[in-house]
Amino acid sequence: MQESDVKLRLGVMLGSLRKASFNAALGRSLATYAPSNTRIDLLPSIGMLPHYNQDILDEGIPEALAQLAEAIRAVDGVIIVSPEYNWSMPGVLKNALDWLSRLNPGPLQDKPVTLFTSSPGLLGGARAHAPIRNVLLALDCKVLVKPEVQISQIKAKLSADTPTITDAATADFVTQRLAAFSDFARRG
Amino acid sequence: MQESDVKLRLGVMLGSLRKASFNAALGRSLATYAPSNTRIDLLPSIGMLPHYNQDILDEGIPEALAQLAEAIRAVDGVIIVSPEYNWSMPGVLKNALDWLSRLNPGPLQDKPVTLFTSSPGLLGGARAHAPIRNVLLALDCKVLVKPEVQISQIKAKLSADTPTITDAATADFVTQRLAAFSDFARRG
Amino acid sequence: MQESDVKLRLGVMLGSLRKASFNAALGRSLATYAPSNTRIDLLPSIGMLPHYNQDILDEGIPEALAQLAEAIRAVDGVIIVSPEYNWSMPGVLKNALDWLSRLNPGPLQDKPVTLFTSSPGLLGGARAHAPIRNVLLALDCKVLVKPEVQISQIKAKLSADTPTITDAATADFVTQRLAAFSDFARRG
Amino acid sequence: MQESDVKLRLGVMLGSLRKASFNAALGRSLATYAPSNTRIDLLPSIGMLPHYNQDILDEGIPEALAQLAEAIRAVDGVIIVSPEYNWSMPGVLKNALDWLSRLNPGPLQDKPVTLFTSSPGLLGGARAHAPIRNVLLALDCKVLVKPEVQISQIKAKLSADTPTITDAATADFVTQRLAAFSDFARRG
């Protein structure tokens, strides 16, 4: 049996809570472009977590955190799909990472992680990569760094309903990056 | 009448929600070290805000956001007092900045802002300054940048109950930085 | 006499040493798009400076540094025009800033500064802004932050020989940003 | 024969050119604290490189670059020992990384790299880590990220003449981090 015969599971963490979010649609579309023997599912919404507060943790791990942690532990790698907010990461995404950093062992520790960003504009969320990556490294994630995945003008490249990537070059790029991340996650 | 005769109002935004937070105690202590003719009050807790979600905003400005925005508009400058989480800003602080960035006009636009960090360790939150400052600039704040205020070993320098800064050198430094920020805020 | 009647002088610091550099051509083209009563000249090349080494400084200010410092002191504002190298600033640009930071008073202290980047690719040097800006703030520059000027696909937008910006939208944007920076520099 | 029986070679890249640099002394001291079967040597000085300029490269690889590249290819891992300049990396260090990034294959590609910073002050160069790390990732280095090695008050902890680390806790920390980096480099 070859290594690639083993089923790989990847989880998608969405950085935007908005229902009609293009990044959320992009995240939901990823299963379509998964390599063979790789299953891609959404992780539980980070919007279910409270604001990080050690007082809450002192009383016990919140249910939403326990569920998110368990879902992360059950996958072989995590794909964060997020918008850029104010030249950096969404606060709600950082909040999820803050919570996850306080569990021991950390669900993201040594976990393969990569980042996709997209935006309606020309930069595709480029400015969010360095700030988010820096936090992922603080959490001891194994980060697949390059090439950075930044999808510009996402509105014109996505059918949000399906959801499907309608721009062929983008679909190819995403397919290729998912294959690369699957390989990366298989190597663990 | 001299410029310094005009009463100045500064607001403190706390980056930590924990009740016994050393940064919160530091923030509450600042009024004690305010220059003459300067009043320093806590702003409403950023913990009252929901996670940023444009769907919520589309239905109307959340009450907690309206209150925070009004409180910020009522002061002449904002002092953010925050811990460093995972080499960056607390998610809950970024969440507040994300919300504030979506109001028009933005309550923090052209507002004088400065940042104090502290930690029990040796770096005093030093790694949070560049990431937070970058976001403040994205929000068009007028940032008093230097010197960065990073208070190390805060546990040994603060009486959290009072709250008072018990370390004389730290109290002097804070007094001097508050005076500098008052001048900066007066110049607008 | 109105404020705008006073002649303003701006200096351009080039981040690339390559003769046929598109950023250098962009920098040389800026005089064409200057607002009335504003003169834009190239500053001396930062390539004339040695690598920063305090031993050199201990023996005296290098001639190339003295000339650069004098040229900066003679202008009312500095426009840095630079490529992005490896997700950050060119080393030679940082080297120039390191040298300038060691003079007292610093030629860039309280000096209005802004940053233009361009690239043949889609991001226009976007990732260089936060790192360069952070260093400029460390040097106490007055930075005109927003909007970030990032010109993508520069090869198709520039006639390097003239040099002229051949893309009308880009020429308009540059004209507008130069006007904004002139206003910023006039306010000092 | 066990893996640890194989001799490992590590190279030290110094970020400061000053003769009496504390970081240079720290870098030279590292051989003393090397784990068994690990040899640590200085790499050629990055001060020998010209300022990066593609015109130079177009005429051929400069001799100093060829020597540095060869020395890097000959070692199993690189330890960068550097001061922080203006909240970021020394320009001369970035210049070396810019040159190395233009060779194909890149000498630092897939090379294990870690970063030690030190300073006479309290932060030990902490603010240089994120900026330098980001560039190392752009160059496809395998970066040993944590814990960040930041040695504060270096003047009191080093006998620059020997050179030896005179502070026992610092010597222990350095010994431990070199052992961890050797393990990291052995795993390749």
Side-chain angles (χ1 to χ4, degrees), chain D residues 19-78:
Chain D
K19 270 201 193 119
S21 157
F22 285 93
N23 278 286
L26 174 64
R28 285 192 300 268
S29 82
L30 295 185
T32 308
Y33 308 98
S36 61
N37 265 331
T38 298
R39 176 174 161 179
I40 303 182
D41 298 293
L42 289 191
L43 292 168
S45 169
I46 59 178
M48 305 301 290
L49 297 167
H51 292 309
Y52 174 74
N53 180 338
Q54 192 187 311
D55 294 336
I56 296 175
L57 195 58
D58 288 346
E59 294 180 11
I61 297 175
E63 180 59 25
L65 177 60
Q67 288 176 10
L68 178 62
E70 188 185 348
I72 291 174
R73 289 195 177 106
V75 296
D76 302 294
V78 172

Side-chain angles (χ1 to χ4, degrees), chain A residues 87 122-123 126-127 133 145-146 148 150, chain C residues 87 122-123 126-127 133 145-146 148 150:
Chain A
W87 300 350
L122 291 172
L123 297 183
R127 290 172 292 209
R133 184 166 52 230
V145 172
K146 287 181 64 179
E148 296 181 318
Q150 302 143 339
Chain C
W87 299 351
L122 291 172
L123 298 183
R127 291 173 292 210
R133 183 167 52 230
V145 172
K146 285 180 70 177
E148 296 182 318
Q150 303 142 340

Side-chain angles (χ1 to χ4, degrees), chain D:
Chain D
M1 195 171 80
Q2 298 213 322
E3 189 187 49
S4 60
D5 292 338
V6 182
K7 188 83 178 182
L8 194 82
R9 291 198 55 191
L10 302 179
V12 173
M13 182 181 287
L14 300 179
S16 170
L17 302 184
R18 187 166 68 97
K19 270 201 193 119
S21 157
F22 285 93
N23 278 286
L26 174 64
R28 285 192 300 268
S29 82
L30 295 185
T32 308
Y33 308 98
S36 61
N37 265 331
T38 298
R39 176 174 161 179
I40 303 182
D41 298 293
L42 289 191
L43 292 168
S45 169
I46 59 178
M48 305 301 290
L49 297 167
H51 292 309
Y52 174 74
N53 180 338
Q54 192 187 311
D55 294 336
I56 296 175
L57 195 58
D58 288 346
E59 294 180 11
I61 297 175
E63 180 59 25
L65 177 60
Q67 288 176 10
L68 178 62
E70 188 185 348
I72 291 174
R73 289 195 177 106
V75 296
D76 302 294
V78 172
I79 305 165
I80 297 175
V81 183
S82 179
E84 169 191 313
Y85 286 172
N86 298 307
W87 299 351
S88 186
M89 68 205 81
V92 65
L93 173 59
K94 179 58 164 59
N95 184 63
L97 298 173
D98 288 341
W99 275 113
L100 292 165
S101 76
R102 297 305 305 278
L103 300 181
N104 191 356
L108 285 174
Q109 200 172 330
D110 294 321
K111 183 74 65 180
V113 180
T114 198
L115 172 64
F116 289 18
T117 60
S118 77
S119 79
L122 291 172
L123 297 183
R127 291 171 292 209
H129 278 253
I132 293 176
R133 184 166 52 230
N134 198 45
V135 172
L136 295 176
L137 294 172
L139 266 69
D140 291 307
C141 300
K142 288 187 178 164
V143 184
L144 178 62
V145 172
K146 287 180 67 179
E148 297 181 318
V149 177
Q150 303 143 339
I151 306 177
S152 62
Q153 300 177 304
I154 184 69
K155 284 194 189 186
K157 296 175 178 172
L158 199 69
S159 163
D161 294 335
T162 327
T164 324
I165 300 170
T166 52
D167 178 67
T170 301
D172 284 352
F173 180 55
V174 164
T175 300
Q176 181 231 312
R177 295 319 303 152
L178 289 176
F181 185 59
S182 290
D183 290 346
F184 182 82
R186 274 182 205 285
R187 289 193 304 269

Side-chain angles (χ1 to χ4, degrees), chain B residues 21 29 42 64-65 77 100 133 157 187:
Chain B
S21 158
S29 81
L42 290 191
L65 177 59
L100 292 164
R133 183 166 53 228
K157 296 175 178 171
R187 288 193 303 268

Side-chain angles (χ1 to χ4, degrees), chain A residues 19-173:
Chain A
K19 269 199 194 122
S21 158
F22 285 93
N23 278 287
L26 174 63
R28 285 192 300 269
S29 82
L30 295 185
T32 309
Y33 307 99
S36 63
N37 265 332
T38 298
R39 177 174 161 178
I40 302 182
D41 298 292
L42 289 191
L43 293 169
S45 169
I46 59 177
M48 305 301 289
L49 297 167
H51 292 309
Y52 174 74
N53 181 337
Q54 192 188 310
D55 294 337
I56 296 175
L57 195 59
D58 288 346
E59 294 179 10
I61 296 175
E63 181 58 24
L65 177 60
Q67 287 177 10
L68 178 61
E70 188 185 348
I72 291 174
R73 290 196 176 105
V75 295
D76 303 294
V78 171
I79 305 166
I80 297 175
V81 183
S82 179
E84 169 191 311
Y85 286 172
N86 299 308
W87 300 350
S88 185
M89 68 205 81
V92 65
L93 173 60
K94 180 57 164 61
N95 184 64
L97 298 174
D98 288 342
W99 274 113
L100 292 164
S101 75
R102 298 304 305 277
L103 299 181
N104 191 355
L108 285 174
Q109 199 172 330
D110 294 321
K111 183 74 65 181
V113 180
T114 198
L115 172 65
F116 289 19
T117 60
S118 77
S119 78
L122 291 172
L123 297 183
R127 290 172 292 209
H129 279 252
I132 294 176
R133 184 166 52 230
N134 198 44
V135 172
L136 295 175
L137 294 173
L139 268 68
D140 291 307
C141 300
K142 288 186 179 165
V143 184
L144 179 62
V145 172
K146 287 181 64 179
E148 296 181 318
V149 178
Q150 302 143 339
I151 306 177
S152 62
Q153 300 178 303
I154 185 69
K155 284 194 188 185
K157 297 175 177 171
L158 199 69
S159 163
D161 294 336
T162 325
T164 324
I165 300 170
T166 53
D167 178 68
T170 302
D172 284 353
F173 180 54

